Amino acid sequence: MKTDAVRGHLDGLLLAVLEPGPLHGYAIIAAVQNRSGGVLELRTGTIYPALNRLERVGLLSSSWESAGERRRRCYELTEEGRRTLAGERTAWDEFTTAIGSVLNPSIPPGLPT
């Protein structure tokens, strides 16, 4: 899938995969890929700046966790992040309905095609 197609929806994707609980960066990438059936492959250079920005604006919080000898930063939704995710879902539903209506219009019965 084209990177440009995902760009405007990256925040919503990241918030959605963090909804069930905290994840570290590579787990976030894997969650997006798994949920999309392998269609969406995000790069670390794409998600880390977005995660940092979402944390700066208060939609995520983070903490360092140890995994063996490695330390990794785990991110989780704040309450504001949960509210924003709800708004992203509403906006997505409205957007897909509008685009779907244009791309696949329903023709009322009895009208010529």
Side-chain angles (χ1 to χ4, degrees), residues 8-59:
H9 305 288
L10 181 60
D11 291 359
L13 295 172
L14 296 175
L15 295 174
V17 297
L18 288 166
E19 185 177 30
L23 294 172
H24 59 87
Y26 286 108
I28 293 169
I29 292 169
V32 170
Q33 189 170 14
N34 290 338
R35 284 192 185 189
S36 70
V39 174
L40 301 177
E41 295 182 25
L42 301 178
R43 300 179 199 277
T44 57
T46 300
I47 71 149
Y48 285 110
L51 291 169
N52 291 332
R53 181 177 42 75
L54 292 171
E55 185 174 20
R56 250 189 342 270
V57 299
L59 303 182

Side-chain angles (χ1 to χ4, degrees), residues 56-68:
R56 250 189 342 270
V57 299
L59 303 182
L60 299 179
S61 63
S62 69
S63 60
W64 287 99
E65 294 186 3
S66 295

Side-chain angles (χ1 to χ4, degrees), residues 72-111:
R72 57 189 181 195
R73 193 168 203 88
C74 289
Y75 298 87
E76 65 182 314
L77 288 180
T78 62
E79 285 306 311
E80 183 63 25
R82 291 184 189 287
R83 286 189 291 276
T84 299
L85 175 57
E88 289 280 335
R89 285 184 169 135
T90 298
W92 176 254
D93 288 343
E94 291 169 355
F95 177 77
T96 57
T97 297
I99 296 298
S101 296
V102 173
L103 292 177
N104 299 309
S106 298
I107 300 173
L111 293 179

